[in-house]
Amino acid sequence: MTQIHTAPASVPAPAALLTETPEQLAAFEARIAAGDKIEPGDWMPAEYRRQLIRMISQHAHSEVVGMLPEGEWISYAPSLKRKLILMAKVQDEAGHGQYLYHAAETLGATREDMVDALLSGKAKYSSIFNYPTHSWADVGMIGWLVDGAAIKNQTMLAGCSYGPYSRAMVRICSEETFHHKQGKEMIVLYAQGTPQQREMAQDALNRWWWPSLMMLGPHDADSPNSGVLSRWGVKLKSNDEVRQEYMNEHVPELLEAGLTIPDADMHQDEQGNWKHGAIDWTEFWAVVKGERGLNKERLGARQQAHEGGAWVRDALDAYAARESGAKRA
Amino acid sequence: MSELPRWEVFKQDGPGKVHQAVGSVHAGDGQHALFTARSVFARRPAAVSLWVARADQIYALTKQELDAGKGLPQGGSGSFHIFGKKTNRRSMVLGDHLGTLDAGSPQDALDAARLQFGDELLVWWIVPDSALVRSVDSAETVESWFAPAKDKTYKQQSSYGVVGQHASAHKKAARGGDHD
Amino acid sequence: MTETALTRPILTEAVKLALIARFTALADDEMILSHRVAEWTGHAPLLEEDIALANIAQDELGHATLWLGLRAALDGSNADALAYHRDAAEFRNVPLTELPKGDWAVTMVRQYLFDAWEVLWLDAARQSSYVPLAEAATQALREEKFHLQHTALWVERLALGTPESTRRTQDALTQLWPYALGLGEPLPTEADAVAAGLLPDVADVQTRWQRLVRGHLEGVGLSFPTLSPLPYNRQQHTEHLVPLLADFQRVAREFPESRVW
């Protein structure tokens, strides 16, 4: 559901393989420029394939890990209606992970390898999911802010050059709007609710505001992967452009809900754009690197699910083998 | 163990519509894949029928591959379902079921399909009929597998339409511009 | 759901109480089981099954609100107040539904036994002369039929899969079967409503259910345990319900003056 960030130093520079000719590359880039979608089976630079597998699988991991911080609140939801909505929402996160793994599989990655990379800590996922959820209002605030920021990226990626990724994103966007709206509805209600509810909503905003801005990625000047990804039609807008759209959409609505945005330097410029104060990136990178936050717990939960489910997958495998053996006999 | 096999899923949205390639699931066997496909791809409206086929039994070719002279196996006669991607327009499905034809091999099926359905398609999928596992075509199955999704309005974004309308009007006025 | 002119005359006070008791039992079964199923969220053995279980949990919770709606039409009660502000002793679910989620075999065998019961009870309830019940049963039955096919498929694969999955599935059945029989115990107040054709006779449903589940489970090589009676029923809960409700009701009770969520 979100964009992923690795520390700049860890990203190797793209390199053309010896087997790739300038003519092939030129033809490929001409297709991108003409608005073609690249489909599995089509020629593509190895670096395009590598970057897509990295990006798509990390998106998929983010969806799957993203089930955890909200999923634990299904048990505690304060009304039957909210319980039902949250079940459907977290179910969608699983679905989105599922669609994205599919997209990466069309590039030759296997689900098994991708899951192994996640569980071994080799693959990254969005660090936003390493923040703890402290109260019920966090569920609403994640829907409004985190999913709101995610939709900005997803809408952009729905137009990307790789067919299966684009299709997954179109499907995800059609569902994600529900996530955003249910969160907004909840927070608007609490912001006008009892004093306790108001306090809970404001506290959630105080904790999620800056992480949601940061999840849209480093400033353009510090974004190492952007060049090649925008050249090849994967990333159609820069981080700062997407962040500006996000601000312009969310700030007026949060203010109208009666909440206070925790940024004393925030203001509107002459064009009406909402500008945020300076972002403190030290915490962001600490969470990305796993020095802070719940990285260990999140991965632990996924490892347990995977290992605990091995006997179930083995049973399915054995049953299928037995059935196909019976058919052949 | 190695991972469970991948099954491509084809969903029909309504009577009179064609099946479309919507994505894939991992599942142990065909029936399990069918139930899984229902959970993954029909939890929102609308659907009336699902087909699944093991991904490794589907023959796929892009226009670029065809132009480069790539072909399909010559053996194995049977009935084949032809799916095709027609445009690069934004979509959540790869393509539509174009028709079914009998042929002496996947290559023959492709040749016949190119004559019948036009040669400008961007992606071809040739699916042997013997590889398909289908949901039951009965009113009872549609009622029990697919119809109840319509009642689950809490997962439709349209159920939350009123929220924020005032705020978005405010935003539009403030910016004086349009927005995607 | 409103009472129609046709149904109103037959609802004596005793019959009304019987209906309320049955709707409460149905709602509590669905609500508590839904909660247990949802505990798998993010932890299922396959990503695809995470999605499938979330469907089951949503369907069951949806049915719970359906039954609470029928109850509200009779006594003006509030669904959230019943769900969030009753204590364990006031819940009328069968203890089968409150047992911890266990492993995948426990979850699937429990769900299968429950779905089979529900399909047959609902099928009988479609004939109820209380129209709101007949309508609700018809509506809920559609989804339950899919659940039953789905869980029957799973139980078969687990029972016939590997030696480990067979062992776990048999263990699950041995553990759960005595609790599952609680589904078939008649409610103390419902004899008149059954005689009047308002509610299904659970003895009949029980017979059909035993035939169905024994046929399927023995067909895949499982065996049924010999029984010793349990000290638990819809009035006497196991030690698992109190902690379950502590989770379920946590936020609602933490903010007692906030009734709108």
Side-chain angles (χ1 to χ4, degrees):
Chain A
M1 63 184 288
T2 69
Q3 207 180 331
I4 312 295
H5 314 287
T6 44
S10 70
V11 179
L17 295 188
L18 293 174
T19 52
E20 291 175 2
T21 66
E23 291 74 24
Q24 282 173 315
L25 188 62
F28 173 81
E29 293 191 341
R31 288 191 67 192
I32 304 262
D36 274 14
K37 296 284 185 218
I38 307 302
E39 293 292 344
D42 286 347
W43 189 89
M44 63 186 85
E47 180 60 12
Y48 179 81
R49 185 185 300 274
R50 194 186 72 85
Q51 287 279 5
L52 277 173
I53 291 176
R54 178 190 66 85
M55 196 167 160
I56 300 172
S57 66
Q58 289 177 349
H59 276 208
H61 299 329
S62 300
E63 297 283 356
V64 170
V65 176
M67 296 171 75
L68 299 171
E70 288 180 278
E72 59 188 276
W73 288 89
I74 292 173
S75 283
Y76 316 138
S79 76
L80 296 177
K81 181 182 128 191
R82 293 286 168 209
K83 201 174 177 86
L84 203 53
I85 292 170
L86 187 54
M87 283 176 181
K89 182 186 182 226
V90 182
Q91 175 184 44
D92 281 346
E93 313 289 1
H96 299 174
Q98 208 277 346
Y99 309 154
L100 287 162
Y101 282 129
H102 164 82
E105 284 169 326
T106 65
L107 290 159
T110 67
R111 173 90 72 95
E112 198 181 24
D113 288 346
M114 289 187 277
V115 170
D116 283 349
L118 170 68
L119 298 183
S120 67
K122 218 164 67 191
K124 293 276 186 265
Y125 58 87
S126 176
S127 60
I128 195 90
F129 302 113
N130 287 337
Y131 289 88
T133 39
H134 286 316
S135 82
W136 170 252
D138 286 18
V139 169
M141 205 53 85
I142 289 173
W144 194 356
L145 300 187
V146 175
D147 294 329
I151 288 173
K152 292 283 156 217
N153 260 321
Q154 289 161 344
T155 307
M156 170 187 82
L157 288 166
C160 83
S161 59
Y162 186 57
Y165 195 18
S166 155
R167 289 191 284 276
M169 280 302 163
V170 173
R171 190 173 288 277
I172 288 170
C173 284
S174 76
E175 299 178 349
E176 193 86 23
T177 308
F178 146 60
H179 299 185
H180 186 230
K181 284 185 168 183
Q182 63 82 37
K184 193 196 295 187
E185 182 206 54
M186 198 192 298
I187 295 300
V188 168
L189 183 73
Y190 301 165
Q192 292 152 12
T194 64
Q196 280 180 313
Q197 285 175 325
R198 282 206 296 276
E199 191 188 321
M200 184 163 58
Q202 181 62 52
D203 170 65
L205 177 59
N206 294 347
R207 283 180 292 106
W208 290 97
W209 174 252
W210 290 106
S212 74
L213 280 186
M214 289 188 266
M215 76 179 262
L216 288 166
H219 289 305
D220 296 349
D222 309 317
S223 187
N225 285 330
S226 291
V228 67
L229 291 175
S230 68
R231 181 181 177 88
W232 286 338
V234 178
K235 238 184 122 171
L236 305 173
K237 290 175 183 169
S238 78
N239 292 348
D240 286 332
E241 281 173 323
V242 176
R243 194 162 18 240
Q244 189 60 64
E245 283 182 16
Y246 169 78
M247 289 280 295
N248 287 350
E249 178 179 327
H250 285 78
V251 169
E253 296 191 343
L254 287 160
L255 294 178
E256 190 167 300
L259 296 166
T260 306
I261 293 170
D263 178 355
D265 298 329
M266 192 183 72
H267 63 280
Q268 240 176 329
D269 69 10
E270 283 126 35
Q271 288 80 46
N273 290 314
W274 285 95
K275 312 302 280 187
H276 55 75
I279 294 176
D280 174 7
W281 293 97
T282 49
E283 184 193 80
F284 174 77
W285 290 116
V287 176
V288 166
K289 289 173 188 156
E291 291 157 8
R292 295 194 49 188
L294 300 176
N295 176 262
K296 214 172 287 165
E297 290 80 355
R298 300 292 188 232
L299 280 188
R302 290 308 306 166
Q303 277 155 0
Q304 214 176 356
H306 191 71
E307 284 158 24
W311 71 269
V312 179
R313 298 188 299 274
D314 285 346
L316 285 172
D317 215 26
Y319 180 89
R322 170 195 167 118
E323 288 297 292
S324 62
K327 249 182 227 158
R328 272 198 296 273
Chain B
M1 139 200 153
S2 60
E3 66 180 16
L4 293 171
R6 203 158 64 80
W7 303 73
E8 292 290 348
V9 178
F10 306 94
K11 179 163 84 81
Q12 185 187 16
D13 290 350
K17 301 202 169 166
V18 296
H19 284 78
Q20 297 177 305
V22 292
S24 68
V25 295
H26 285 268
D29 56 272
Q31 282 300 319
H32 180 228
L34 204 52
F35 277 81
T36 303
R38 187 272 189 187
S39 299
V40 174
F41 291 104
R43 63 188 195 279
R44 282 188 175 78
V48 293
S49 164
L50 287 170
W51 297 345
V52 296
R54 266 185 76 138
D56 57 12
Q57 296 185 6
I58 293 173
Y59 303 97
L61 275 183
T62 66
K63 183 168 192 308
Q64 190 184 65
E65 287 176 300
L66 263 182
D67 292 347
K70 199 174 164 190
L72 296 179
Q74 293 291 349
S77 67
S79 185
F80 297 91
H81 296 273
I82 313 298
F83 291 84
K85 176 184 161 167
K86 287 180 183 158
T87 77
N88 278 319
R89 269 206 307 270
R90 203 173 275 213
S91 169
M92 62 174 83
V93 301
L94 170 86
D96 292 354
H97 186 250
L98 303 175
T100 310
L101 36 91
D102 293 327
S105 70
Q107 179 64 49
D108 289 353
L110 175 65
D111 293 340
R114 290 176 73 181
L115 284 177
Q116 196 172 332
F117 305 116
D119 206 18
E120 290 308 304
L121 269 73
L122 301 168
V123 179
W124 293 92
W125 277 18
I126 314 288
V127 186
D129 184 66
S130 57
L132 280 186
V133 182
R134 309 158 195 243
S135 63
V136 177
D137 283 323
S138 71
E140 195 188 345
T141 297
V142 172
E143 271 298 294
S144 131
W145 283 45
F146 305 121
K150 285 202 260 311
D151 302 332
K152 302 198 180 315
T153 50
Y154 57 88
K155 58 173 99 169
Q156 302 299 342
Q157 57 125 328
S158 51
S159 300
Y160 304 85
V162 180
V163 178
Q165 258 178 14
H166 188 57
S168 23
H170 170 84
K171 173 189 70 182
K172 234 180 198 158
R175 272 200 289 157
D178 60 335
H179 182 64
D180 68 349
Chain C
M1 210 72 68
T2 54
E3 289 176 57
T4 66
L6 266 179
T7 59
R8 195 172 292 128
I10 50 174
L11 288 189
T12 63
E13 197 55 27
V15 160
K16 202 166 138 178
L17 289 175
L19 289 175
I20 289 172
R22 179 48 76 177
F23 296 151
T24 309
L26 288 164
D28 288 353
D29 281 350
E30 309 255 26
M31 200 157 44
I32 298 298
L33 186 58
S34 165
H35 179 93
R36 282 295 187 220
V37 171
E39 287 178 338
W40 278 100
T41 305
H43 308 284
L46 258 174
L47 190 53
E48 280 82 352
E49 291 302 327
D50 225 306
I51 300 168
L53 273 192
N55 275 340
I56 293 177
Q58 286 169 58
D59 292 350
E60 305 293 19
L61 193 56
H63 297 167
T65 57
L66 192 62
W67 302 125
L68 291 173
L70 293 198
R71 175 174 163 168
L74 292 172
D75 69 357
S77 55
N78 175 281
D80 279 335
L82 288 171
Y84 289 93
H85 297 281
R86 274 181 304 161
D87 291 331
E90 298 166 89
F91 270 76
R92 291 292 172 263
N93 60 294
V94 278
L96 173 73
T97 58
E98 73 207 30
L99 299 175
K101 76 183 202 295
D103 66 7
W104 190 251
V106 168
T107 290
M108 282 296 135
V109 171
R110 167 165 59 185
Q111 194 66 41
Y112 169 73
L113 293 169
F114 183 83
D115 292 339
W117 172 265
E118 232 200 327
V119 161
L120 296 171
W121 192 91
L122 291 172
D123 186 46
R126 285 193 300 169
Q127 309 304 319
S128 168
S129 58
Y130 186 59
V131 174
L133 170 56
E135 287 172 356
T138 304
Q139 194 184 331
L141 184 59
R142 299 178 307 164
E143 285 171 335
E144 289 302 334
K145 280 185 178 168
F146 176 78
H147 292 188
L148 179 58
Q149 288 181 350
H150 184 213
T151 49
L153 172 145
W154 258 110
V155 170
E156 176 178 344
R157 278 150 186 74
L158 295 177
L160 298 174
T162 61
E164 181 181 4
S165 73
T166 303
R167 175 182 58 75
R168 286 177 182 262
T169 311
Q170 180 61 58
D171 287 351
L173 181 60
T174 305
Q175 180 209 343
L176 295 171
W177 181 243
Y179 291 94
L181 287 173
L183 288 163
E185 287 170 15
L187 299 184
T189 49
E190 72 183 1
D192 288 350
V194 171
L198 288 154
L199 286 174
D201 182 349
V202 289
D204 287 348
V205 178
Q206 167 94 270
T207 310
R208 293 176 66 199
W209 175 69
Q210 289 243 7
R211 201 182 307 135
L212 176 67
V213 301
R214 282 182 182 273
H216 182 61
L217 297 180
E218 286 172 352
V220 296
L222 299 176
S223 54
F224 284 75
T226 48
L227 287 173
S228 44
L230 290 174
Y232 308 113
N233 54 43
R234 290 184 185 273
Q235 280 77 37
Q236 296 294 321
H237 291 285
T238 67
E239 72 274 23
H240 304 297
L241 185 59
V242 167
L244 182 154
L245 290 175
D247 284 347
F248 197 119
Q249 302 172 336
R250 183 171 126 178
V251 176
R253 294 206 177 191
E254 200 182 327
F255 299 93
E257 73 267 35
S258 309
R259 287 295 171 118
V260 180
W261 291 99

